[in-house]
Amino acid sequence: MTDKRALHVETPLIESRALSAHAGRPVWLKLDALQPPGSFKIRGIGHACGEYARRGAGRFISSSGGNAGIAVAYAGRQLAIPVVVVVPETTSERAKALIQQEGAEVIVHGKSWQESDELARSRVQDSDTYLHPFDDPLVWDGHATMIDEVAMSGFKPGVVIVSVGGGGLYCGIVKGLVRNEWSDVPVIVTETEGADSLARSVEAGCLIELDAITSIATTLGARKVCHEALASSQTHPTRSRVVTDRAAVSACGKFLADHRILVEPACGASLAIVYDDPHELEEFESALVVVCGGATTTLEQLQAWSKNPS
Ligand SMILES: *Cc1c(COP(=O)(O)O)cnc(C)c1O
């Protein structure tokens, strides 16, 4: 069933003894941290890039200094299509190096992502395709393959735990659950304080735009989630939870010790539910944590945050 043209790989699905012990019930991990570009993003972005390539795209343009930019760069290299990524001045040297390592051109412009995004969009010419990091149905379709793989394994989770930035991953998970006839499987969506744009929107019943992102989990830092994410939370059984930066960072450290995989605080937010709030899972027979990964965090940075979160 694996699509040979797909740019992502099928990732391991394992039961975690350590997390199961915390939760008192089986906790399974979908290890998308092991995707070649370091995060699940290649599922959706790879699917979108493949489709746009078939429609004749001559160049891909992105404005993400994070995992989405790395995924576009990776996809472009695989498809032999040039990639330009415009990033703000605040982007780390490591993130820029990871994008360049995939052969993409990096342009540094603007103090904030908004400014880099404006430049990126203004550079789009006739044969170019602009890639949105989370608000594109093709991206959601690609992310949904994660649930297809879980369904193929025969394990039906009692609940799925997933981190939310702009909501593309969450929309894909819901799509995947629905297309595998698992509409009854609820989702716990997690964000960090200061990047909680979905939690606030769910509470208000309409899309809320944050004034600023104050969490260190910048990967979750979409000031406004996509419309589809709010709509999904209203049609699919969904609970929203917000954790502190400290809890997210601490979960990354525990996960490194338990599973020897380094993930970003963006991913730590989901792991923190199991490590710190296992009572959240009491009513479910089992849980599946989407280990979404993240390539821009280093061990040194994680240690610095652990000493001094925010
Ligand atoms: C992009 C990303 C997220 C959030 O995904 P959205 O589709 O923006 O909600 C979470 N974790 C990691 C590691 C990411 O790269």
Side-chain angles (χ1 to χ4, degrees):
M1 171 158 145
T2 312
D3 180 354
K4 291 206 171 49
R5 294 170 309 181
L7 298 178
H8 64 266
V9 301
E10 188 175 334
T11 53
L13 173 69
I14 63 166
E15 187 190 341
S16 166
R17 286 296 289 160
L19 280 119
S20 298
H22 270 281
R25 66 212 66 241
V27 175
W28 287 71
L29 308 172
K30 187 61 175 152
L31 291 175
D32 259 50
L34 302 181
Q35 290 292 346
S39 80
F40 74 93
K41 285 261 177 13
I42 189 60
R43 289 185 186 267
I45 301 257
H47 180 65
C49 285
E51 184 56 36
Y52 293 131
R54 278 188 280 283
R55 295 180 197 171
R59 191 169 68 149
F60 295 133
I61 302 196
S62 161
S63 60
S64 162
N67 297 309
I70 299 167
V72 176
Y74 177 87
R77 183 170 61 77
Q78 297 289 332
L79 296 164
I81 291 176
V83 175
V84 178
V85 185
V86 186
V87 302
E89 290 155 15
T90 49
T91 305
S92 70
E93 288 307 316
R94 172 172 168 85
K96 284 184 266 186
L98 287 170
I99 296 167
Q100 283 161 340
Q101 181 173 286
E102 296 294 351
E105 180 188 350
V106 173
I107 299 175
V108 180
H109 174 83
K111 298 216 179 331
S112 70
W113 171 78
Q114 272 75 14
E115 289 169 46
S116 0
D117 192 54
E118 264 169 42
L119 183 77
R121 288 172 190 264
S122 76
R123 289 280 178 101
V124 176
Q125 290 162 8
D126 279 354
S127 64
D128 295 341
T129 300
Y130 170 84
L131 269 299
H132 196 285
F134 56 82
D135 197 2
D136 180 342
L138 285 173
V139 168
W140 310 331
D141 269 345
H143 292 338
T145 58
M146 197 189 301
I147 297 298
D148 296 339
E149 288 170 18
V150 177
M152 287 287 288
S153 81
F155 163 67
K156 182 178 179 182
V159 64
V160 179
I161 306 174
V162 64
S163 299
V164 171
L169 174 58
Y170 164 55
C171 292
I173 295 295
V174 170
K175 266 197 164 208
L177 291 171
V178 170
R179 80 185 183 196
N180 286 285
E181 294 175 10
W182 281 354
S183 296
D184 57 323
V185 175
V187 179
I188 298 177
V189 289
T190 62
E191 295 167 291
T192 48
E193 280 173 13
D196 49 347
S197 40
L198 179 58
R200 299 222 189 172
S201 301
V202 166
E203 202 180 340
C206 61
L207 280 184
I208 300 289
E209 179 162 2
L210 305 179
D211 293 334
I213 299 301
T214 54
S215 168
I216 56 166
T218 49
T219 296
L220 301 185
R223 280 166 51 208
K224 195 164 81 177
V225 298
C226 60
H227 195 272
E228 181 73 9
L230 178 62
S232 295
S233 76
Q234 292 165 339
T235 56
H236 191 89
T238 298
R239 274 182 214 180
S240 161
R241 292 290 176 267
V242 177
V243 306
T244 61
D245 278 351
R246 184 184 286 276
V249 167
S250 151
C252 292
K254 290 174 191 159
F255 191 68
L256 180 61
D258 285 336
H259 285 283
R260 306 159 307 279
I261 297 174
L262 179 65
V263 297
E264 289 186 16
C267 178
S270 282
L271 295 165
I273 298 291
V274 186
Y275 282 120
D276 296 346
D277 302 311
H279 59 272
E280 286 281 351
L281 307 177
E282 266 162 20
E283 70 200 82
F284 306 111
E285 266 182 32
S286 65
L288 172 71
V289 182
V290 174
V291 182
C292 47
T296 64
T297 292
T298 60
L299 184 57
E300 291 69 31
Q301 190 167 34
L302 198 60
Q303 284 164 339
W305 279 328
S306 305
K307 286 197 195 100
N308 187 14
S310 323

